[in-house]
Amino acid sequence: MAIRNRVWEIANSFGLENLRIKDRVVPENIGPNEVLVRLTATSLNYRDYLMAIGQYNPRQKLPLVPCSDGAGVVESVGSNVKKWKTGDRVIPIFAQSWQDGTPNVDSLRSTLGGPNDGCLMEYGVFDAQGLVRTPDHLTDAEAATLGCAGLTAYNAVVTFGGIEPGSTVLTLGTGGVSLFALQFAKMLGAKVIVTSSSDEKLARAKKLGADEGINYSTRSNWERDVRKYTDMKGADLIIEVGGAGTLPKSMMAVRPYGTIALIGVLAGGESNLSLYPILMQGVKVQGVIVGSKADFERMNSAISQNKMKPVVDRSFGWDEVPDAFAYLRSGQHFGKVVIEWQG
Ligand SMILES: NC(=O)c1ccc[n+]([C@@H]2O[C@H](COP(=O)([O-])OP(=O)(O)OC[C@H]3O[C@@H](n4cnc5c(N)ncnc54)[C@H](OP(=O)(O)O)[C@@H]3O)[C@@H](O)[C@H]2O)c1
């Protein structure tokens, strides 16, 4: 008998008002290299919100199950699958076919939550190679924060940032990516400066280990504060989530030959940027696109060794999905917003 698979869909057109619960069925037979996963949690990324309102990819085919992040338990495996067994706790990877090294055009199209269905569903079928093991000390809700924000921050800090004890990292804002970057940078012994629009969030960031906090709403020349906190040298690495609206200041806040990890465009995606600072200061502007499965496994090893816990701000239930998206949009959150259900 067919088993019901409830999913959330962006139904016939974009917009949070068009998010709907729909019934699908769990496939009775999965392919020999596939794994059926009973999903129990997802976390929201800004990308998921942009996807839902049609701004990420207006040509995305609908209906679409949103949310690239997820976590759950293996229900059954195909006949060729040796790596996984029923009961294993797993996390689907963001770009399903990006296994290692740099991505190609096809692997960048293999992403969950658009163009392919994401994790806001009770059961998902994934290629056996599209999963990583959940760190034992994490709940599924915590594990569901790692796939996009966690891995992006890890690659910015570790792979591209080359951060070591004594380095200085500047994170912009206190969203998911930035707080993961704070945690990884502290793990590596770096000094961390955090900006936020809220003094209360800055105080929370200091409890997580941030050394300095700057309120970018009241300190419009925050790049000067960054220089002051770095003995006028500038930061070694900037976690740039603002994009066009913050990049000119980040160029002034980074040290010569330092790195700006260009991750997000919360403050604009188009710019008339002066190129002189890049040229005259040897600044490296490094775009970051989440990461590969091999990166994910390296990150999970560091998370397990350090018993690191992601910062979950608030958890919503299965029936509260539109509220969860609205909460993310409001910008009130500190770290990650998750949705959990029984599966
Ligand atoms: N390239 C990639 O692979 C990748 C991966 C993940 C995310 N991203 C992108 O990175 C960005 C952040 O993602 P996220 O998931 O961390 O988002 P998020 O959790 O929604 O974080 C948003 C936070 O950013 C801060 N912020 C907003 N506008 C800002 C500004 N003008 N200057 C400084 N900080 C500002 C705010 O912090 P305060 O409330 O503290 O002010 C806000 O709460 C998004 O654009 C997302 O699409 C890209």
Side-chain angles (χ1 to χ4, degrees):
M1 196 185 75
I3 301 173
R4 185 172 77 149
N5 184 14
R6 287 189 311 159
V7 307
W8 273 92
E9 285 179 356
I10 308 165
N12 302 321
S13 51
F14 294 111
L16 296 188
E17 67 284 6
N18 294 314
L19 285 164
R20 301 264 188 281
I21 298 176
K22 288 281 169 71
D23 276 353
R24 297 188 187 177
V25 287
V26 178
E28 283 182 28
N29 296 306
I30 56 173
N33 299 313
E34 289 180 333
V35 177
L36 176 67
V37 178
R38 182 168 53 80
L39 292 158
T40 61
T42 184
S43 79
L44 297 185
N45 291 286
Y46 202 71
R47 171 181 184 269
D48 303 319
Y49 167 67
L50 293 178
M51 194 72 77
I53 63 169
Q55 280 184 18
Y56 191 90
N57 175 13
R59 288 184 299 176
Q60 168 68 47
K61 288 206 179 80
L62 299 180
L64 173 76
V65 177
C67 296
S68 59
D69 279 346
V73 181
V74 171
E75 187 79 7
S76 62
V77 301
S79 54
N80 288 344
V81 176
K82 302 278 177 283
K83 180 166 181 179
W84 306 111
K85 61 179 187 323
T86 304
D88 283 346
R89 297 179 63 219
V90 291
I91 307 170
I93 62 174
F94 176 76
Q96 286 283 292
S97 65
W98 184 8
Q99 297 292 302
D100 201 353
T102 52
N104 58 35
V105 174
D106 286 341
S107 55
L108 288 180
R109 287 197 192 115
S110 71
T111 51
L112 301 177
N116 307 297
D117 276 340
C119 294
L120 200 43
M121 54 185 173
E122 290 179 321
Y123 291 91
V125 177
F126 302 93
D127 191 286
Q129 296 198 55
L131 301 166
V132 295
R133 202 170 293 282
T134 300
D136 286 340
H137 70 291
L138 298 184
T139 64
D140 279 1
E142 290 164 340
T145 67
L146 299 177
C148 181
L151 191 51
T152 302
Y154 173 85
N155 275 324
V157 171
V158 178
T159 309
F160 299 119
I163 291 309
E164 52 188 32
S167 303
T168 303
V169 178
L170 169 69
T171 70
L172 301 189
T174 58
V177 174
S178 296
L179 289 191
F180 271 118
L182 160 64
Q183 290 177 292
F184 288 127
K186 290 313 292 183
M187 220 184 251
L188 291 166
K191 172 175 173 172
V192 179
I193 305 170
V194 175
T195 72
S196 175
S197 56
S198 150
D199 288 340
E200 189 250 327
K201 288 183 179 181
L202 288 173
R204 289 172 75 183
K206 284 195 174 167
K207 283 198 185 134
L208 272 178
D211 298 274
E212 306 289 352
I214 306 167
N215 187 321
Y216 65 81
S217 293
T218 54
R219 305 283 300 170
S220 57
N221 292 325
W222 52 262
E223 75 281 10
R224 292 188 195 159
D225 294 329
V226 175
R227 298 197 77 78
K228 190 179 79 190
Y229 290 138
T230 55
D231 295 330
M232 305 312 285
K233 292 183 184 130
D236 295 288
L237 171 68
I238 299 184
I239 303 300
E240 176 49 88
V241 294
T246 47
L247 200 48
K249 287 184 184 295
S250 289
M251 300 263 209
M252 308 301 287
V254 72
R255 73 162 165 82
Y257 272 72
T259 300
I260 298 176
L262 185 53
I263 293 169
V265 289
L266 291 167
E270 310 262 322
S271 169
N272 240 340
L273 195 68
S274 164
L275 300 179
Y276 289 109
I278 300 179
L279 214 57
M280 310 294 277
Q281 303 285 320
V283 172
K284 186 163 74 169
V285 179
Q286 172 68 57
V288 182
I289 325 167
V290 189
S292 68
K293 182 167 92 170
D295 295 324
F296 205 152
E297 286 171 334
R298 280 189 283 272
M299 174 181 76
N300 278 356
S301 167
I303 287 173
S304 296
Q305 286 291 325
N306 289 277
K307 295 278 179 284
M308 187 191 122
K309 286 273 197 177
V311 180
V312 174
D313 173 82
R314 193 165 157 189
S315 173
F316 289 82
W318 176 263
D319 293 328
E320 300 174 307
V321 165
D323 296 339
F325 273 98
Y327 182 67
L328 184 88
R329 179 182 55 193
S330 77
Q332 292 173 60
H333 56 291
F334 177 84
K336 295 297 298 178
V337 177
V338 304
I339 300 165
E340 318 178 59
W341 61 94
Q342 284 303 311

